[in-house]
Amino acid sequence: MAVEVDSGARYQVPAVVPALVFDREHVPALVGNSAAAERFTVGGAGVVMGPAGTVIIAEANDATAESGVWSAKEVRLAGRAPAPVTERLMGAPWGAVEGSLPIHVAVRVGGEVAYLGAARVSRAGSSDGVLTDCALRFEVPLGRGLLDRVRPQRPPGHLPGLEWLDHVNGDRAAALEQFVTGWHPTADATAAAADDSAPRLPEGLRQLYRLAKQRPSALGVQNRILPGPELYTDRLGEMLVFGVENQGGFSWELLWTAEVPEADPTVWFRALGAEPIAEREPLSGFLIQFSLFEACMGADYLALPRQLTAPQVEQLTETLHLVPLRPFWPWAPTHFYVAPGLVMHVSSEDGEAFDAWAGATRRSALAPLANSRIDWNRFDG
């Protein structure tokens, strides 16, 4: 592959080269043949910086917590970066800006190095001024064969099953428990994670709080079911606010005037400053839908298509199971489709253009979507 170097000339970088040769011959040419080049390590990846550019050399792996190739379009640095790396990657102009120093990506595979091409910073996170995670987008996406070589997939492992689906229109409490315990790993709960002791709360909400004692993420990662101590009523004391959107744009509420709660009450959706609208499903179905929505929004592995037509939705979901509930979310009616370890939500405001988002517990769970003839914004399979 030919790339520009600081002299303006074209420099040929072999696709695969012995690691020692790449380090001694090609890295100096890519970063600027200068004694000023510096070497660092970020999350297991080597970062070499010089006056003409940067070279990132990752290991071939598929670990979520380590630096490496994430998808055909993206490579990630994971871990706290030294100050010079932070300054270069966060201070450089993002995108293809004239005058910005190029960033080159390579991966060690055994005793060889595969050169993958140039990339640019697409997302960066920091804490106290230190780069903690960084995503870089390849200028040219990787082909499937090369991707499989530089990002060898882990064994498929256990995927959450679909036993809960049989109970959705029967024993919804069982369906909720089986889905939540199958999808969310146990974790240390915080003191405010849940409170199922309030006698006026409906049993469905109390059940979710019990489940969240060991699985706090069950209360949401994008939007939230409020923990017991954070519940509050509206200014008239008529509605109990129990769920909120992540930016405060809307809430979910229950009628709060009865002394004894309904067994399965209506859930009211209220946009900021607007009148409430009833969700199509009562609380028992709503909590399943909320759990499905948050599961795919917070998943490690995503598949995000561009806007779809109705025939494309049918083609994309033909190998998945439709969750038999009425549409979720009044603003854009939403249906859910599932497979082992996979949840997809599909929504539309007008019934003609559709938005979809799929999340999976493991990369292998995205396999049912891999052969779809879909234009992906992001595909982590």
Side-chain angles (χ1 to χ4, degrees):
M1 181 181 295
V3 297
E4 296 284 352
V5 294
D6 58 338
S7 65
R10 302 289 287 177
Y11 178 75
Q12 189 70 33
V13 184
V16 179
V17 67
L20 189 59
V21 173
F22 184 83
D23 191 62
R24 287 181 176 177
E25 297 181 8
H26 302 294
V27 169
L30 295 173
V31 304
N33 194 359
S34 169
E38 299 177 282
R39 293 177 176 268
F40 305 94
T41 300
V42 181
V47 180
V48 186
M49 303 190 316
T54 302
V55 174
I56 297 171
I57 309 174
E59 298 294 330
N61 70 73
D62 189 26
T64 57
E66 297 180 16
S67 300
V69 173
W70 182 258
S71 70
K73 296 182 178 180
E74 184 176 281
V75 63
R76 294 182 178 181
L77 289 179
R80 295 177 66 85
V85 177
T86 295
E87 181 178 356
R88 175 160 293 193
L89 294 183
M90 295 192 70
W94 290 13
V97 179
E98 185 176 356
S100 61
L101 295 177
I103 302 172
H104 303 276
V105 179
V107 170
R108 296 185 188 275
V109 185
E112 298 179 323
V113 170
Y115 177 72
L116 306 183
R120 65 181 187 276
V121 175
S122 59
R123 175 181 53 80
S126 63
S127 175
D128 298 326
V130 176
L131 182 70
T132 55
D133 60 276
C134 180
L136 302 99
R137 197 170 183 86
F138 290 113
E139 291 184 359
V140 179
L142 306 182
R144 187 74 223 188
L146 180 58
L147 176 62
D148 289 341
R149 186 178 184 200
V150 299
R151 192 207 61 189
Q153 291 193 29
R154 291 179 294 171
H158 172 73
L159 294 175
L162 298 180
E163 296 81 4
W164 60 271
L165 196 58
D166 295 333
H167 302 294
V168 165
N169 281 322
D171 187 348
R172 289 184 171 177
L176 179 65
E177 180 173 2
Q178 289 176 10
F179 176 78
V180 168
T181 57
W183 187 278
H184 296 279
T186 57
D188 292 332
T190 63
D195 181 4
D196 66 332
S197 61
R200 290 183 63 190
L201 292 179
E203 175 55 29
L205 194 54
R206 296 172 67 185
Q207 180 197 17
L208 184 63
Y209 286 156
R210 289 195 294 270
L211 293 170
K213 286 182 177 180
Q214 290 187 311
R215 297 169 171 83
S217 57
L219 295 184
V221 293
Q222 172 79 4
N223 307 314
R224 287 200 309 144
I225 298 296
L226 294 175
E230 297 181 28
L231 295 172
Y232 64 95
T233 59
D234 67 357
R235 60 185 179 84
L236 299 176
E238 296 178 346
M239 305 294 288
L240 178 73
V241 179
F242 73 95
V244 293
E245 192 253 351
N246 64 336
Q247 296 181 344
F250 59 81
S251 61
W252 287 290
E253 305 173 3
L254 299 173
L255 190 63
W256 196 240
T257 55
E259 288 297 323
V260 179
E262 293 182 58
D264 197 11
T266 298
V267 175
W268 294 92
F269 172 94
R270 191 198 297 263
L272 191 63
E275 290 297 313
I277 306 171
E279 287 279 358
R280 298 282 300 277
E281 287 287 344
L283 183 64
S284 61
F286 169 85
L287 291 176
I288 294 172
Q289 293 172 319
F290 176 88
S291 299
L292 291 167
F293 187 87
E294 294 301 310
C296 60
M297 294 300 292
D300 286 332
Y301 303 100
L302 303 178
L304 312 180
R306 301 187 190 279
Q307 200 166 66
L308 303 169
T309 63
Q312 286 176 314
V313 170
E314 184 176 356
Q315 186 260 323
L316 184 62
T317 61
E318 62 184 359
T319 62
L320 308 180
H321 299 271
L322 173 66
V323 178
L325 292 169
R326 287 169 290 186
F328 173 69
W329 205 45
W331 276 357
T334 300
H335 294 276
F336 295 91
Y337 299 84
V338 295
L342 170 71
V343 176
M344 175 186 290
H345 66 74
V346 179
S347 62
S348 177
E349 296 181 12
D350 58 12
E352 296 182 1
F354 296 81
D355 295 309
W357 182 297
T361 57
R362 288 179 175 267
R363 201 183 294 280
S364 59
L366 294 175
L369 310 179
N371 296 323
S372 300
R373 297 182 297 278
I374 297 296
D375 185 14
W376 299 102
N377 274 322
R378 171 175 170 179
F379 187 76
D380 293 342

